[in-house]
Amino acid sequence: MAAICLPFCAGRCNLTLFFKEALPTRFLMNPLLRFIAELQDVSLLLWRSIVSLRHGPRYFAETLRQMDMIGVGSLPIVLLTGFFTGGVLVLQTYPTLEYYSLQNESGRSVATSLIRELGPVLSALMVSGRIGSAIAAELGSMVVSQQIEAMRALGTDPIRKLVVPRITALIMMLPLLTVAADIFGLIGGGIVANYIYGQDIHVFSESVRNGISTKDIIAGMVKPIFFGFIIGLVACHKGLSTSGGTVGVGRSVTNSVVTASIWVIIFDFFLAKALQYLLDIGRI
Amino acid sequence: MLVDEANSALPLSDDIEFTDMKEAVDSPDRVAPVIEFRDVCLSFDEKVILNGISFSVRRGETKIILGRSGGGKSTVIRLILGLIKPDSGRILIDGEDITDHDEPALMTVRQKMGMVFQEGALFDSLPVYENVAYRLREQGVEEDEVEAEVRRMLRFVALEDAIEKMPSELSGGMRRRVGIARALVGDPEIVLFDEPTAGLDPPTARTICELAIKLRDLHDVSSIFVTHEMNNLRYLSSEYAVIDEGGEVRFEKEGERLCMINTEILMLRDGKVGFEGKDEELLRSEDPYIRTFVHGK
Ligand SMILES: Nc1ncnc2c1ncn2[C@@H]1O[C@H](COP(=O)(O)OP(=O)(O)OP(=O)(O)O)[C@@H](O)[C@H]1O
Ligand SMILES: [Mg+2]
């Protein structure tokens, strides 16, 4: 295992490539093995990021810049997503609730689904599309134009300088974006209930207030922390393990968005289950 | 020797050496190589690139590496920096075995090296100024000191007026020169030039060779100089820099005064060391491979 030095250094030290060396190539065709190799790669990147947090130079300015780009930059799309999702939830559920004469609870239904599920997941998916792709593209082109090598040659650890600030910024900003999406979703829902179905806005907001518990809010804030982490880690890993020139950069971007989105959705299920258990929510 | 006199006239930070000078003269430390390869092998996938390379570069020596395109010259440089690891063999920098160093340990070793990348590898989202200042910024140097040093380096490569430009606005040769300025900031002890003159006009190429000569003779810098151009080889192995009475740097031809030029040539051939020695031996060689290399036919 001495041959491993970095999850991405100049092609050949790549862990995935280490596997290629250790095992005949045909084994690598096995998707399971490839998956394990990649998981190992990601874990190594994560480990190195955590270790680098303990001491040495930290790049606060870079982290702030990333937070600005991720947070402020993604605000419009996340707000729009939240607003229309809240709106469409009321649009679709109101007739059903009305059928059961529960239309006064439409606020509760939209609040629960938005804050527990749709707010965190949809914001994460939007951010993965906008920020995950940008990170993968940026790091990927830095790899193919040898800028990462140049950075290492100049004595800077790219993990410290590039990976840690991005992941930190995502972890900090995604919960805030999610809250913003939730609020706009509720506003969207209220507007639809009021203008399309003629419900009194006070009835709607009252039902929203009854529907949300502190636990829901906690659950809704814990998820985006994990999602931000997943998006950042996947995007940085895909970007740094880019090979094969400009086509490779395109591939990394696509892979990063697809992989991060899938992991967000899979993780969402398990997180939901874990939070249900830990916070004792989900039961009426 | 003459060169040494010029050397001691410079305010170099060499005073540490004086105390142990007496025993140092014949102590192994004095002659310990700055860069040493011991039987280094490396292959990419099934393709063997380096197959048992051994050589060493002494303090203040310039090693010119020749070899055909794709022969592994850039790979040798990347190995020295620890950017990639050899399959087998040892690499020593300043007597320190870096073969098994992890990334944080390598960072310290890399602080004393400067590298000029073949393709420039400038940070394309940063302006020229920030590119050159990069290393100083990372070391937390004061801003006015950074500015002075960056301007000095850019003046050195005659690019002071491009200081505000972005790398994408520069020509290929200008980018290379910025790369050279970036590598030399912070006065590294070891400088690795990967084809620094490729694609440059003869006067600029000459300036870069003069720069390498000055680093070698006046600053005691050890360097590796990868090149395909015989002109460069001629300059580097037949001229030396001295400081004259007026304090100006002058270049003199070998033989004008008694002087040993501290340059050797290493030729890579099919993953092995095909030739190692002085330029006269190379030029005199009867080996057909070397002859095609030197004379182009
Ligand atoms: N990351 C890599 N993965 C696979 N093969 C590589 C990699 N880097 C270099 N090689 C191969 O190693 C060989 C040596 O490359 P290197 O860049 O050292 O050549 P070079 O001597 O610098 O050539 P040139 O004079 O053209 O710059 C080439 O055949 C190249 O294909
Ligand atoms: Mg090369």
Side-chain angles (χ1 to χ4, degrees):
Chain A
M1 296 293 271
I4 312 159
C5 64
L6 263 185
F8 54 85
C9 74
R12 59 160 286 106
C13 288
N14 194 320
L15 260 181
T16 326
L17 287 176
F18 171 77
F19 259 71
K20 232 182 244 170
E21 278 173 11
L23 305 162
T25 320
R26 67 196 148 87
F27 281 123
L28 214 85
M29 293 297 105
N30 184 338
L32 184 67
L33 267 184
R34 212 165 40 206
F35 173 74
I36 292 173
E38 195 155 321
L39 205 61
Q40 211 173 357
D41 243 11
V42 174
S43 319
L44 201 61
L45 180 63
L46 174 60
W47 173 244
R48 296 262 324 268
S49 313
I50 293 172
V51 168
S52 77
L53 276 178
R54 287 195 325 179
H55 53 84
R58 295 192 186 85
Y59 296 91
F60 289 118
E62 173 73 7
T63 313
L64 274 181
R65 215 172 55 81
Q66 291 298 328
M67 282 169 70
D68 176 51
M69 210 179 78
I70 294 167
V72 182
S74 311
L75 203 55
I77 56 161
V78 167
L79 291 186
L80 273 176
T81 314
F83 184 82
F84 283 99
T85 309
V88 83
L89 274 177
V90 172
L91 191 72
Q92 297 283 26
T93 51
Y94 197 90
T96 317
L97 291 171
E98 202 170 29
Y99 179 80
Y100 293 109
S101 311
L102 288 174
Q103 66 270 41
N104 286 355
E105 294 298 325
S106 68
R108 174 195 283 267
S109 94
V110 64
T112 317
S113 41
L114 255 184
I115 290 172
R116 283 198 202 154
E117 277 305 323
L118 290 172
V121 171
L122 290 182
S123 309
L125 293 181
M126 297 311 283
V127 167
S128 148
R130 184 176 178 275
I131 303 297
S133 58
I135 293 178
E138 186 185 1
L139 300 191
S141 16
M142 287 184 83
V143 170
V144 299
S145 61
Q146 289 188 323
Q147 290 176 54
I148 298 282
E149 280 206 345
M151 195 175 265
R152 292 169 62 210
L154 286 163
T156 313
D157 184 353
I159 293 188
R160 246 177 234 285
K161 171 104 180 172
L162 301 172
V163 175
V164 173
R166 281 166 177 73
I167 295 183
T168 316
L170 271 167
I171 290 178
M172 308 241 259
M173 295 322 281
L174 199 51
L176 299 181
L177 286 171
T178 305
V179 170
D182 289 345
I183 292 172
F184 265 64
L186 294 177
I187 293 175
I191 289 177
V192 169
N194 189 255
Y195 284 93
I196 297 187
Y197 295 114
Q199 189 177 47
D200 185 20
I201 199 71
H202 295 294
V203 176
F204 183 84
S205 60
E206 187 60 31
S207 132
V208 166
R209 227 171 302 154
N210 289 336
I212 312 173
S213 66
T214 324
K215 287 172 177 176
D216 284 326
I217 296 180
I218 295 176
M221 294 285 283
V222 169
K223 279 183 180 179
I225 295 178
F226 281 89
F227 294 162
F229 175 74
I230 292 174
I231 296 170
L233 194 62
V234 168
C236 289
H237 170 252
K238 292 288 177 194
L240 287 178
S241 55
T242 301
S243 62
T246 31
V247 181
V249 175
R251 204 165 38 221
S252 292
V253 172
T254 317
N255 277 343
S256 126
V257 175
V258 171
T259 316
S261 305
I262 289 177
W263 277 119
V264 161
I265 288 169
I266 295 177
F267 248 77
D268 180 53
F269 177 82
F270 291 104
L271 270 175
K273 187 67 201 142
L275 287 167
Q276 260 185 10
Y277 177 75
L278 289 175
L279 298 174
D280 195 27
I281 48 171
R283 269 158 250 158
I284 304 288
Chain B
M1 247 185 305
L2 229 175
V3 176
D4 279 342
E5 274 170 35
N7 236 336
S8 52
L10 271 178
L12 290 174
S13 52
D14 266 358
D15 23 339
I16 350 135
E17 305 266 309
F18 283 126
T19 42
D20 29 302
M21 204 57 157
K22 273 169 239 92
E23 72 231 59
V25 171
D26 30 33
S27 92
D29 273 16
R30 198 53 213 161
V31 286
V34 175
I35 302 171
E36 188 176 2
F37 269 49
R38 289 188 192 153
D39 205 22
V40 171
C41 298
L42 178 72
S43 44
F44 286 116
D45 302 325
E46 270 90 69
K47 202 160 149 248
V48 178
I49 308 295
L50 303 178
N51 186 9
I53 299 280
S54 303
F55 70 90
S56 59
V57 181
R58 280 165 285 138
R59 190 167 302 282
E61 181 186 18
T62 295
K63 193 75 120 191
I64 299 178
I65 301 190
L66 299 174
R68 60 172 188 79
S69 179
K73 303 180 297 297
S74 302
T75 308
V76 166
I77 288 193
R78 299 207 342 249
L79 282 168
I80 295 173
L81 277 165
L83 296 175
I84 49 176
K85 298 269 181 196
D87 293 340
S88 67
R90 303 265 113 196
I91 297 167
L92 288 86
I93 304 294
D94 261 342
E96 183 182 348
D97 190 337
I98 63 155
T99 325
D100 297 327
H101 273 17
D102 58 0
E103 203 60 12
L106 282 170
M107 287 303 168
T108 349
V109 178
R110 287 178 193 142
Q111 296 292 346
K112 51 188 169 197
M113 300 195 231
M115 156 141 197
V116 181
F117 280 81
Q118 193 169 3
E119 276 103 27
L122 298 183
F123 301 121
D124 51 18
S125 56
L126 300 179
V128 167
Y129 181 89
E130 291 299 325
N131 262 286
V132 178
Y134 189 84
R135 175 171 256 162
L136 300 176
R137 281 270 150 73
E138 292 293 300
Q139 291 168 352
V141 177
E142 297 286 319
E143 181 56 42
D144 33 341
E145 216 175 304
V146 170
E147 171 148 13
E149 178 71 4
V150 168
R151 286 195 180 276
R152 186 175 73 89
M153 280 333 297
L154 283 175
R155 211 172 304 128
F156 208 55
V157 292
L159 272 179
E160 212 188 349
D161 40 340
I163 195 160
E164 302 286 342
K165 289 213 166 88
M166 295 301 282
S168 55
E169 299 169 75
L170 304 178
S171 75
M174 287 159 94
R175 260 177 251 164
R176 186 85 47 76
R177 274 141 67 198
V178 174
I180 292 174
R182 184 179 68 179
L184 295 181
V185 155
D187 300 319
E189 297 168 37
I190 301 171
V191 182
L192 310 164
F193 295 96
D194 196 352
E195 299 191 32
T197 60
L200 293 183
D201 57 295
T204 314
R206 162 82 199 177
T207 323
I208 290 171
C209 292
E210 286 181 355
L211 171 64
I213 295 172
K214 270 193 281 185
L215 288 174
R216 177 192 69 196
D217 295 340
L218 306 178
H219 298 271
D220 211 18
V221 167
S222 320
S223 58
I224 300 253
F225 200 100
V226 172
T227 184
H228 286 299
E229 282 162 54
M230 286 304 135
N231 264 343
N232 295 346
L233 192 148
R234 210 179 58 234
Y235 295 145
L236 283 171
S237 51
S238 68
E239 293 187 34
Y240 59 89
V242 289
I243 296 195
D244 63 15
E245 299 74 29
E248 294 285 301
V249 177
R250 235 162 10 99
F251 293 91
E252 299 194 344
K253 283 254 185 291
E254 187 178 24
E256 279 181 32
R257 296 189 220 175
L258 185 67
C259 179
M260 269 277 287
I261 291 193
N262 211 350
T263 295
E264 276 200 6
I265 295 154
L266 179 87
M267 184 184 266
L268 295 180
R269 182 177 176 183
D270 303 327
K272 299 216 172 263
V273 175
F275 170 87
E276 191 174 11
K278 292 276 169 198
D279 60 319
E280 297 92 359
E281 299 166 46
L282 184 82
L283 296 177
R284 261 190 273 112
S285 170
E286 290 298 326
D287 188 317
Y289 184 86
I290 297 179
R291 286 191 69 82
T292 54
F293 229 97
V294 177
H295 305 289
K297 57 180 190 256

